[in-house]
Amino acid sequence: MSSERVHRTEHSVEVDAGAGVVYGLIADAVRWPLFFPPNVNVERLEFDGTHERLRMWATANGEVRSWISERVLDPRERRIEFRQTRPQAPVETMHGTWTVEERPGGTSRLTLLHDFTVAGDRPGDAEWVERACDSNSRAELDNIKRLAERWTRLDELVLSFEDSVRVNGPAELVYDFLYRVADWPDLIPHVSRLDLTEDSPGVQVMSMDTLTADGSAHTTESVRICFPHAGRIVYKQTATPALMEAHTGEWSVVPDETGVTVVSQHSVVLREEAVERVLGAGADLAAARRYVRRALGQNSTATLALARRHAESSVRVL
């Protein structure tokens, strides 16, 4: 049992939406990177319908952190308890609870509690963790409120799609092209600038300037989590173009008996209030969906084609 002081935080928000809708958003942790600003990636390791084990990556005070959490879901009581089983320093223990209460008139109240200790009970470390809990909890609750109150229109606001190519070359060479993102300004015409830091192996933080087919320039910031043995790179844009509230994606390199399939997946939450400002008076969500699908799809397809050329031409040289 830890002898360090237990620090407690509590955050709550009133939501003009039913308790079931709110609970559904917090229960679906795999989609948190798309719906919660701090979350970068969530991998479900185990789930039996009630008990869940997750590997999570999120930003905290400007840093990318990772841990493993166990959750117990109680949909009847609309309550989720969680515990970090492998916290990252300076956290020594972290427990918490999500609760959703029904309120009069079809509204609800969402509360998030955290109990944590830090190794050695150092005040500076405790302040760091408390600041991260506060800023991340506020961001998460604010976005849950925003999404839940637009629940009936969420299907119009969320857009998911993928593009793929076949490659007659080694999967390792394709993955290498996608991983070496710092070289993209020299390899990919629509990437004009890219700054990269990789303080932890496989965790890439980048800022990038790109051009779309219509000549528009965008500056984005992203965190990428790389899984070389699985042939996957997942990413979350932490600074998005004007039309998107959120953007997550994945590059997948899938070998089979006859070659390799390379897939680019995108999921986007559209920023409705920016549609007319970006696309012109009278533009609607349908126009925004077409525009984003075309812009992201053209750039990712161009990158896929270049990855294919890299792998296939390297094989011919060998």
Side-chain angles (χ1 to χ4, degrees), residues 69-205:
S69 278
E70 292 181 352
R71 305 203 309 168
V72 180
L73 284 70
D74 186 346
R76 184 184 298 274
E77 297 295 326
R78 299 192 180 97
R79 177 185 178 93
I80 300 174
E81 296 182 358
F82 60 89
R83 177 175 69 94
Q84 290 188 10
T85 59
R86 295 186 188 174
Q88 186 172 348
V91 176
E92 183 166 89
T93 64
M94 176 72 76
H95 306 81
T97 308
W98 296 89
T99 58
V100 187
E101 305 171 67
E102 288 192 64
R103 308 287 278 182
T107 64
S108 56
R109 180 180 180 83
L110 173 62
T111 301
L112 174 57
L113 305 174
H114 287 95
D115 294 349
F116 68 88
T117 64
V118 296
D121 209 20
R122 291 181 288 270
D125 288 344
E127 187 277 333
W128 190 96
V129 177
E130 187 161 346
R131 182 157 43 92
C133 281
D134 182 64
S135 60
N136 283 13
S137 297
R138 291 180 187 277
E140 290 167 357
L141 267 61
D142 287 349
N143 222 48
I144 291 171
K145 173 182 172 67
R146 182 173 171 80
L147 290 168
E149 291 180 350
R150 298 182 295 170
W151 179 254
T152 58
R153 298 172 50 250
L154 204 55
D155 285 347
E156 297 177 74
L157 295 168
V158 175
L159 172 65
S160 296
F161 63 92
E162 66 178 43
D163 298 294
S164 64
V165 298
R166 289 288 292 173
V167 179
N168 185 23
E172 294 80 5
L173 289 177
V174 178
Y175 183 87
D176 178 69
F177 182 93
L178 298 172
Y179 174 78
R180 289 189 297 108
V181 68
D183 297 336
W184 281 11
D186 297 324
L187 301 173
I188 300 177
H190 66 260
V191 177
S192 58
R193 179 195 63 86
L194 195 147
D195 297 326
L196 176 72
T197 59
E198 189 170 349
D199 294 332
S200 299
V203 179
Q204 300 178 329
V205 180

Side-chain angles (χ1 to χ4, degrees), residues 159 161 163 212-214 279 287-301:
L159 172 65
F161 63 92
D163 298 294
T212 57
D214 64 2
L279 299 182
R289 292 173 69 88
R290 291 191 297 270
Y291 178 88
V292 169
R293 172 64 178 96
R294 182 173 62 253
L296 292 180
Q298 286 176 337
N299 280 0
S300 60
T301 299

Side-chain angles (χ1 to χ4, degrees), residues 33-48:
L34 185 61
F35 291 157
F36 289 9
N39 287 84
V40 174
N41 186 46
V42 177
E43 301 277 325
R44 177 179 278 162
L45 305 178
E46 299 174 17
F47 186 48
D48 64 6

Side-chain angles (χ1 to χ4, degrees), residues 282-316:
D284 57 10
L285 281 175
R289 292 173 69 88
R290 291 191 297 270
Y291 178 88
V292 169
R293 172 64 178 96
R294 182 173 62 253
L296 292 180
Q298 286 176 337
N299 280 0
S300 60
T301 299
T303 302
L304 290 171
L306 290 166
R308 175 175 60 191
R309 186 171 72 180
H310 170 74
E312 294 179 346
S313 61
S314 296
V315 170
R316 285 194 293 271

